[in-house]
Amino acid sequence: MKDRPSEESTSEKSGKVTSARESSQPSEVEVLIRDGEAVRGISHLTQSVERTRLDTEGGVLVAEVDSLSHKRHRILFDRNTNLFEFQLIGQENHHSVVYRLDELLCVQNGFVKLKGGVPQNNKINTTIKTLYFYFVYRKNKHLWRVREIAAIFDTNSERDYWLNILTATLTKIRSRPKNIIVYINPFGGKGKAKKIFQDNVEPFFRLTPGLKYSVLMTERANHARDHILEMEAEKWYHLDGLVSVGGDGLFNELLSGALLRTQRDAGRDVDNPNSDGLVTPHIRFGIIGAGSANSIVSTVHETSDYPTAAVHIAIGSECNVDVCTVHQANKLIRISANAISYGWLGDVLRDSETYRCLGPVRYQWSALRTTIRHPIYRGTVKFTLSHKDTSDPQTKLPKCIEPCKECESRKTQSSDSPHQYDYHWHAEFTHVICCVIPTVTPFTPHGLAPFTGIGDGTLDLAMVSRVSRCQNIQFMRRAAMYGGKELYKLDRTLNVYRVIKWSYQPDEGQPDPGTWNLDGEILEQTFEEPLQFALHPQLISFFGRDAAQIKPTKSSFIKKRKSSIIYQ
Ligand SMILES: Nc1ncnc2c1ncn2[C@@H]1O[C@H](COP(=O)(O)OP(=O)(O)OP(=O)(O)O)[C@@H](O)[C@H]1O
């Protein structure tokens, strides 16, 4: 059991301590995140210190403390670089550990029960003289957790001085959210969204200094979207985050509500697919994946782990994400930040709606039914490449099925007359799949889109023309087992392009125009009007961090353990 100082066992030593002065309160703090960079120690900033001292405003705060095992340490907090250094003193060799301010979730004058790095409840077990630092860290490739460092000060007032100054500093970190709304779909996934929030997310929020949050339980479909659109302006502009606790469908409501509201307030035309002037919402999005697929959260954080998502919201990490708008007859009809698919995948979703009573198994059942039916749709895909794509579709795309209206119209037009899209392909399709982000789902754990990123300014468009039932099963099996990257390696004839806009129109005279699967929701296609898809690069921000930038903490810390404070 951990040795914690209790009220009875500690006695306060006398000592004059600088009181928290007005002048020492920090103004707004800008944390420079230097992920992946080796952080230089700050020990050069001080030589010998007896007790808490603040060199200058924005200078270095220094104190000598004991660890729980009574080893003497020095803590330095450099307010210019926003770095903490914990040094073990009185040893021959120099042992220290450095943390950044943005890794500090909170400081407390008592300990919080942690289980596997997740705060268990909100009870703070107050102690005297001990300050508990709660730092977030990347536990392994995917998971983020909280670790505790306990430092026993010489006096209670010195501890309180540190507590006040650090809490005030954390409250003023500009990138941390101050005011968020949490939308919970009580029926999402297995109907446990509320409990998931209370057990895995709320404890982080309660610990975060300066974070205010309100919770809205949705009562119907589109409740969250309408709530955002109808919110009073003053409330809306004071918000800095919207968090969905549910599936991809609930998140899409938040996304649509916030984007529509922002464009409406800015007087932008959302209906025109060629308008590239959409305004970025002032809020960031957080997702707690409590739905059935949780594809967006799994793609952004590479895991649907609830505490990881909660950590990113609490510490205010940020990543920008591309968005795709879908238009029909010059009207905006949907917004997607995930994947849009037509053909086999669209039909599976449509069929699965009839079998909702089966729960998540319905997708497997409908996949089987759709594979037996083996739908093929004839239509025209038109697209414009992103400048990042180097392949030339002209040399790779098979010939259009004749007659092709687009080929004929291009023949009759002069070569210099502008086309809305640079390339087209009239074919019979088994799949047309467009990924805005890599699209990690329980069925495609390695990501469906071969080369796209979450905010790389491209859409990956894959067109799979008529294949046999057997080939389609192989195609889906490979995509699920190895991910899109391997699929592309195995089949170089796969027509995949990085595009910025595209459209699809089915040929008339087929029994069915087909259905789209847009972020897991059905979108009906019509014969009359093509659907147009337009990319808006990095239009929204998420509470998330590019995982590749941060190295996981080494698990061999036991070997390097020098004290209960320095174990990295
Ligand atoms: N209280 C509610 N009652 C009914 N429907 C709701 C409610 N709140 C949200 N919805 C709608 O339910 C749909 C599915 O919700 P959500 O995505 O949260 O869960 P899910 O279990 O992942 O769903 P799916 O079955 O689509 O995967 C959303 O499109 C949303 O609009």
Side-chain angles (χ1 to χ4, degrees):
M1 224 185 95
K2 222 172 191 178
D3 175 23
R4 293 183 185 283
S6 66
E7 297 251 1
E8 294 77 38
S9 65
T10 48
S11 69
E12 201 164 337
K13 286 182 202 158
S14 62
K16 197 171 162 283
V17 173
T18 332
S19 64
R21 289 160 290 168
E22 263 307 293
S23 63
S24 66
Q25 294 299 312
S27 54
E28 198 161 71
V29 178
E30 179 87 79
V31 175
L32 297 171
I33 298 172
R34 298 178 296 169
D35 299 331
E37 229 178 70
V39 185
R40 191 169 61 97
I42 54 173
S43 46
H44 62 286
L45 291 166
T46 187
Q47 297 308 318
S48 101
V49 178
E50 268 153 27
R51 59 175 53 95
T52 289
R53 187 183 78 205
L54 188 64
D55 287 354
T56 55
E57 193 191 343
V60 187
L61 196 63
V62 191
E64 285 190 7
V65 297
D66 284 330
S67 67
L68 292 179
S69 48
H70 307 291
K71 286 191 178 167
R72 201 69 175 153
H73 290 74
R74 182 176 298 133
I75 315 178
L76 299 98
F77 172 46
D78 183 348
R79 301 207 301 174
N80 297 316
T81 58
N82 285 322
L83 292 177
F84 290 94
E85 182 165 3
F86 294 81
Q87 302 169 349
L88 185 59
I89 51 178
Q91 305 271 320
E92 245 174 55
N93 296 330
H94 178 87
H95 300 293
S96 71
V97 61
V98 176
Y99 291 94
R100 298 188 314 260
L101 177 66
D102 68 306
E103 295 171 317
L104 183 63
L105 178 69
C106 66
V107 281
Q108 299 288 344
N109 57 4
F111 62 90
V112 178
K113 198 172 165 213
L114 294 179
K115 192 171 168 193
V118 180
Q120 286 308 288
N121 53 44
N122 305 302
K123 202 170 149 241
I124 311 281
N125 303 287
T126 320
T127 54
I128 56 167
K129 297 203 295 184
T130 310
L131 188 64
Y132 294 86
F133 293 79
Y134 291 94
F135 286 104
V136 302
Y137 70 106
R138 195 169 163 208
K139 186 177 175 188
N140 59 31
K141 194 164 176 239
H142 301 298
L143 307 185
W144 285 75
R145 291 290 182 269
V146 169
R147 74 155 55 105
E148 175 191 279
I149 288 183
I152 307 167
F153 283 76
D154 288 346
T155 66
N156 218 20
S157 48
E158 186 179 17
R159 188 273 309 268
D160 290 344
Y161 175 65
W162 274 72
L163 176 69
N164 292 339
I165 207 157
L166 291 183
T167 303
T169 307
L170 288 173
T171 314
K172 290 189 172 138
I173 296 180
R174 206 181 303 158
S175 58
R176 292 213 174 169
K178 311 285 180 296
N179 195 3
I180 60 179
I181 301 185
V182 179
Y183 294 91
I184 301 179
N185 175 2
F187 306 109
K190 295 189 181 120
K192 293 191 176 151
K194 188 176 174 193
K195 186 158 170 37
I196 287 170
F197 175 71
Q198 287 171 339
D199 293 351
N200 300 278
V201 181
E202 211 169 15
F204 286 96
F205 288 4
R206 293 226 170 132
L207 285 178
T208 310
L211 174 63
K212 276 194 271 167
Y213 63 94
S214 55
V215 176
L216 189 141
M217 304 292 290
T218 60
E219 287 160 15
R220 58 179 167 83
N222 285 328
H223 185 180
R225 183 176 177 273
D226 295 346
H227 184 259
I228 296 166
L229 285 169
E230 288 158 16
M231 197 183 296
E232 309 89 74
E234 202 193 339
K235 190 171 173 194
W236 170 243
Y237 286 104
H238 272 97
L239 280 180
D240 40 27
L242 298 175
V243 175
S244 82
V245 185
D248 294 337
L250 182 69
F251 170 74
N252 200 287
E253 281 194 27
L254 268 55
L255 173 69
S256 308
L259 272 182
L260 291 178
R261 168 132 203 183
T262 305
Q263 310 319 313
R264 187 184 73 192
D265 291 359
R268 298 299 162 104
D269 176 12
V270 287
D271 292 324
N272 180 1
N274 298 315
S275 129
D276 52 2
L278 296 193
V279 178
T280 294
H282 71 281
I283 47 92
R284 268 174 286 168
F285 295 94
I287 319 179
I288 309 298
S292 3
N294 307 318
S295 167
I296 301 177
V297 67
S298 305
T299 308
V300 173
H301 300 307
E302 294 186 27
T303 173
S304 57
D305 177 64
Y306 319 122
T308 299
V311 162
H312 285 301
I313 297 166
I315 64 167
S317 47
E318 178 164 2
C319 61
N320 297 327
V321 179
D322 296 339
V323 167
C324 178
T325 50
V326 186
H327 306 256
Q328 193 169 38
N330 274 327
K331 273 253 154 270
L332 172 75
I333 52 167
R334 291 284 182 87
I335 298 170
S336 164
N338 193 13
I340 306 159
S341 42
Y342 176 80
W344 188 86
L345 284 165
D347 285 25
V348 169
L349 184 68
R350 179 171 55 184
D351 190 75
S352 72
E353 284 302 300
T354 329
Y355 299 100
R356 269 202 165 263
C357 56
L358 298 182
V361 178
R362 68 185 183 273
Y363 296 115
Q364 275 98 322
W365 172 239
S366 293
L368 178 69
R369 282 169 50 88
T370 310
T371 302
I372 293 167
R373 197 166 57 82
H374 195 51
I376 305 282
Y377 296 101
R378 200 172 59 250
T380 306
V381 176
K382 299 180 196 172
F383 58 97
T384 297
L385 287 186
S386 144
H387 68 275
K388 290 179 183 167
D389 199 335
T390 49
S391 56
D392 179 7
Q394 220 82 67
T395 58
K396 285 178 65 199
L397 272 181
K399 280 202 156 43
C400 288
I401 292 178
E402 290 188 4
C404 170
K405 281 189 197 152
E406 188 64 19
C407 287
E408 279 158 21
S409 89
R410 284 182 190 230
K411 263 185 223 156
T412 54
Q413 279 172 15
S414 69
S415 57
D416 52 355
S417 61
H419 296 286
Q420 196 181 354
Y421 300 96
D422 295 341
Y423 303 97
H424 76 280
W425 188 24
H426 179 227
E428 287 185 318
F429 294 105
T430 304
H431 300 278
V432 178
I433 304 171
C434 168
C435 292
V436 188
I437 58 175
T439 312
V440 176
T441 69
F443 306 111
T444 55
H446 304 284
L448 187 57
F451 304 111
T452 198
I454 57 172
D456 68 345
T458 64
L459 300 169
D460 268 23
L461 176 63
M463 296 170 279
V464 180
S465 59
R466 175 192 277 274
V467 290
S468 69
R469 257 186 209 88
C470 201
Q471 283 170 318
N472 187 37
I473 293 171
Q474 266 189 333
F475 176 89
M476 296 315 297
R477 195 181 69 89
R478 282 181 192 170
M481 286 179 68
Y482 308 114
K485 265 192 182 129
E486 292 304 308
L487 189 69
Y488 190 66
K489 271 193 213 158
L490 292 169
D491 184 359
R492 285 278 168 192
T493 59
L494 195 68
N495 288 291
V496 183
Y497 297 100
R498 307 179 91 184
V499 306
I500 49 169
K501 58 179 182 173
W502 63 288
S503 77
Y504 177 80
Q505 175 144 38
D507 282 8
E508 283 184 6
Q510 304 175 85
D512 175 9
T515 309
W516 293 86
N517 176 337
L518 187 139
D519 294 7
E521 302 291 319
I522 291 175
L523 170 62
E524 294 295 349
Q525 173 72 57
T526 61
F527 284 121
E528 291 76 33
E529 289 289 343
L531 285 183
Q532 293 174 295
F533 304 86
L535 171 75
H536 302 275
Q538 303 202 343
L539 186 62
I540 56 167
S541 290
F542 266 70
F543 291 110
R545 205 175 266 190
D546 188 347
Q549 288 182 2
I550 300 162
K551 293 190 184 76
T553 305
K554 299 253 185 335
S555 55
S556 59
F557 72 88
I558 297 290
K559 267 197 243 161
K560 296 185 183 167
R561 186 166 202 139
K562 301 294 172 208
S563 73
S564 58
I565 292 181
I566 298 167
Y567 52 93
Q568 244 185 346

Short mmCIF file of all heavy atoms in Angstrom, two decimals, residues 49-73:
data_model
loop_
_atom_site.label_atom_id
_atom_site.label_comp_id
_atom_site.label_asym_id
_atom_site.label_seq_id
_atom_site.Cartn_x
_atom_site.Cartn_y
_atom_site.Cartn_z
N VAL A 49 18.55 26.46 -3.01
CA VAL A 49 17.31 27.10 -2.57
C VAL A 49 16.87 26.48 -1.28
O VAL A 49 16.94 25.26 -1.12
CB VAL A 49 16.21 26.85 -3.64
CG1 VAL A 49 14.92 27.47 -3.19
CG2 VAL A 49 16.63 27.42 -4.97
N GLU A 50 16.48 27.30 -0.32
CA GLU A 50 16.06 26.72 0.93
C GLU A 50 14.55 26.51 1.01
O GLU A 50 14.07 25.57 1.54
CB GLU A 50 16.56 27.57 2.08
CG GLU A 50 17.91 27.03 2.53
CD GLU A 50 18.74 28.09 3.15
OE1 GLU A 50 18.15 29.04 3.68
OE2 GLU A 50 19.98 27.99 3.11
N ARG A 51 13.83 27.48 0.51
CA ARG A 51 12.39 27.29 0.49
C ARG A 51 11.79 28.07 -0.66
O ARG A 51 12.52 28.69 -1.43
CB ARG A 51 11.74 27.67 1.81
CG ARG A 51 11.95 29.10 2.23
CD ARG A 51 11.17 29.37 3.48
NE ARG A 51 11.49 28.39 4.50
CZ ARG A 51 12.42 28.58 5.43
NH1 ARG A 51 13.08 29.71 5.49
NH2 ARG A 51 12.65 27.67 6.32
N THR A 52 10.48 27.96 -0.82
CA THR A 52 9.82 28.53 -1.98
C THR A 52 10.25 29.94 -2.26
O THR A 52 10.25 30.79 -1.39
CB THR A 52 8.30 28.51 -1.77
OG1 THR A 52 7.89 27.17 -1.85
CG2 THR A 52 7.59 29.30 -2.83
N ARG A 53 10.61 30.15 -3.49
CA ARG A 53 11.06 31.47 -3.89
C ARG A 53 10.57 31.69 -5.30
O ARG A 53 10.58 30.78 -6.13
CB ARG A 53 12.59 31.48 -3.87
CG ARG A 53 13.18 32.82 -4.11
CD ARG A 53 14.68 32.72 -4.14
NE ARG A 53 15.13 32.19 -5.40
CZ ARG A 53 16.27 31.56 -5.57
NH1 ARG A 53 17.04 31.31 -4.54
NH2 ARG A 53 16.65 31.14 -6.75
N LEU A 54 10.12 32.89 -5.57
CA LEU A 54 9.72 33.24 -6.93
C LEU A 54 10.70 34.31 -7.39
O LEU A 54 10.73 35.41 -6.85
CB LEU A 54 8.29 33.78 -6.92
CG LEU A 54 7.67 34.02 -8.28
CD1 LEU A 54 7.54 32.72 -9.05
CD2 LEU A 54 6.32 34.66 -8.11
N ASP A 55 11.57 33.95 -8.35
CA ASP A 55 12.63 34.88 -8.74
C ASP A 55 12.09 36.21 -9.23
O ASP A 55 12.44 37.27 -8.77
CB ASP A 55 13.47 34.24 -9.87
CG ASP A 55 14.34 33.14 -9.30
OD1 ASP A 55 14.35 33.00 -8.07
OD2 ASP A 55 14.99 32.45 -10.08
N THR A 56 11.25 36.14 -10.24
CA THR A 56 10.64 37.35 -10.80
C THR A 56 9.26 36.94 -11.24
O THR A 56 8.96 35.75 -11.28
CB THR A 56 11.39 37.82 -12.06
OG1 THR A 56 11.43 36.71 -12.96
CG2 THR A 56 12.76 38.34 -11.77
N GLU A 57 8.46 37.92 -11.64
CA GLU A 57 7.17 37.52 -12.19
C GLU A 57 7.45 36.80 -13.50
O GLU A 57 8.24 37.27 -14.32
CB GLU A 57 6.28 38.74 -12.45
CG GLU A 57 4.87 38.29 -12.72
CD GLU A 57 4.00 39.39 -13.25
OE1 GLU A 57 4.40 40.56 -13.11
OE2 GLU A 57 2.95 39.07 -13.79
N GLY A 58 6.85 35.64 -13.70
CA GLY A 58 7.16 34.84 -14.88
C GLY A 58 8.50 34.17 -14.75
O GLY A 58 9.06 33.68 -15.72
N GLY A 59 9.07 34.13 -13.55
CA GLY A 59 10.38 33.52 -13.35
C GLY A 59 10.27 32.08 -12.90
O GLY A 59 9.38 31.36 -13.32
N VAL A 60 11.17 31.68 -12.00
CA VAL A 60 11.20 30.29 -11.57
C VAL A 60 10.70 30.16 -10.13
O VAL A 60 11.10 30.92 -9.26
CB VAL A 60 12.64 29.74 -11.64
CG1 VAL A 60 12.64 28.24 -11.36
CG2 VAL A 60 13.24 30.01 -13.00
N LEU A 61 9.80 29.22 -9.94
CA LEU A 61 9.29 28.95 -8.60
C LEU A 61 10.05 27.71 -8.10
O LEU A 61 10.09 26.70 -8.80
CB LEU A 61 7.80 28.65 -8.73
CG LEU A 61 6.92 28.69 -7.51
CD1 LEU A 61 6.90 30.09 -6.91
CD2 LEU A 61 5.50 28.31 -7.92
N VAL A 62 10.64 27.81 -6.91
CA VAL A 62 11.50 26.72 -6.44
C VAL A 62 11.10 26.34 -5.01
O VAL A 62 10.80 27.21 -4.20
CB VAL A 62 12.98 27.17 -6.42
CG1 VAL A 62 13.90 25.98 -6.20
CG2 VAL A 62 13.35 27.89 -7.69
N ALA A 63 11.10 25.04 -4.73
CA ALA A 63 10.85 24.61 -3.35
C ALA A 63 11.56 23.29 -3.10
O ALA A 63 11.81 22.53 -4.03
CB ALA A 63 9.36 24.43 -3.11
N GLU A 64 11.88 23.07 -1.83
CA GLU A 64 12.43 21.76 -1.46
C GLU A 64 11.34 20.98 -0.75
O GLU A 64 10.65 21.51 0.12
CB GLU A 64 13.68 21.93 -0.61
CG GLU A 64 14.83 22.36 -1.48
CD GLU A 64 16.17 22.32 -0.79
OE1 GLU A 64 16.25 21.84 0.35
OE2 GLU A 64 17.14 22.79 -1.41
N VAL A 65 11.21 19.72 -1.14
CA VAL A 65 10.12 18.89 -0.62
C VAL A 65 10.66 17.49 -0.32
O VAL A 65 11.75 17.14 -0.75
CB VAL A 65 8.98 18.77 -1.66
CG1 VAL A 65 8.34 20.10 -1.96
CG2 VAL A 65 9.47 18.11 -2.95
N ASP A 66 9.83 16.71 0.38
CA ASP A 66 10.15 15.30 0.58
C ASP A 66 9.23 14.45 -0.27
O ASP A 66 8.07 14.82 -0.51
CB ASP A 66 9.93 14.92 2.05
CG ASP A 66 11.06 15.44 2.93
OD1 ASP A 66 12.19 15.55 2.42
OD2 ASP A 66 10.77 15.74 4.11
N SER A 67 9.74 13.31 -0.70
CA SER A 67 8.85 12.35 -1.37
C SER A 67 8.15 11.55 -0.26
O SER A 67 8.46 11.71 0.92
CB SER A 67 9.66 11.42 -2.26
OG SER A 67 10.47 10.61 -1.46
N LEU A 68 7.25 10.67 -0.65
CA LEU A 68 6.54 9.87 0.35
C LEU A 68 7.51 8.97 1.11
O LEU A 68 7.27 8.58 2.25
CB LEU A 68 5.45 9.03 -0.32
CG LEU A 68 4.27 9.82 -0.90
CD1 LEU A 68 3.28 8.89 -1.55
CD2 LEU A 68 3.58 10.66 0.17
N SER A 69 8.64 8.62 0.45
CA SER A 69 9.63 7.78 1.14
C SER A 69 10.71 8.64 1.81
O SER A 69 11.81 8.14 2.08
CB SER A 69 10.24 6.79 0.16
OG SER A 69 10.62 7.49 -1.01
N HIS A 70 10.39 9.92 2.03
CA HIS A 70 11.24 10.85 2.78
C HIS A 70 12.59 11.14 2.13
O HIS A 70 13.58 11.37 2.81
CB HIS A 70 11.41 10.39 4.24
CG HIS A 70 10.09 10.14 4.89
ND1 HIS A 70 9.22 11.15 5.18
CD2 HIS A 70 9.47 8.98 5.23
CE1 HIS A 70 8.12 10.64 5.70
NE2 HIS A 70 8.25 9.33 5.73
N LYS A 71 12.66 11.07 0.81
CA LYS A 71 13.87 11.49 0.11
C LYS A 71 13.71 12.95 -0.25
O LYS A 71 12.62 13.38 -0.66
CB LYS A 71 14.08 10.65 -1.14
CG LYS A 71 14.55 9.25 -0.83
CD LYS A 71 15.00 8.55 -2.08
CE LYS A 71 15.50 7.16 -1.74
NZ LYS A 71 15.68 6.33 -2.90
N ARG A 72 14.79 13.70 -0.13
CA ARG A 72 14.72 15.15 -0.34
C ARG A 72 14.76 15.44 -1.85
O ARG A 72 15.61 14.90 -2.58
CB ARG A 72 15.91 15.80 0.37
CG ARG A 72 15.73 17.27 0.67
CD ARG A 72 14.68 17.49 1.72
NE ARG A 72 14.58 18.89 2.07
CZ ARG A 72 13.48 19.44 2.54
NH1 ARG A 72 12.38 18.73 2.72
NH2 ARG A 72 13.47 20.72 2.87
N HIS A 73 13.87 16.31 -2.28
CA HIS A 73 13.78 16.70 -3.69
C HIS A 73 13.68 18.21 -3.82
O HIS A 73 13.27 18.88 -2.87
CB HIS A 73 12.53 16.09 -4.34
CG HIS A 73 12.59 14.62 -4.53
ND1 HIS A 73 12.46 13.74 -3.48
CD2 HIS A 73 12.77 13.87 -5.64
CE1 HIS A 73 12.54 12.50 -3.95
NE2 HIS A 73 12.75 12.56 -5.26
#
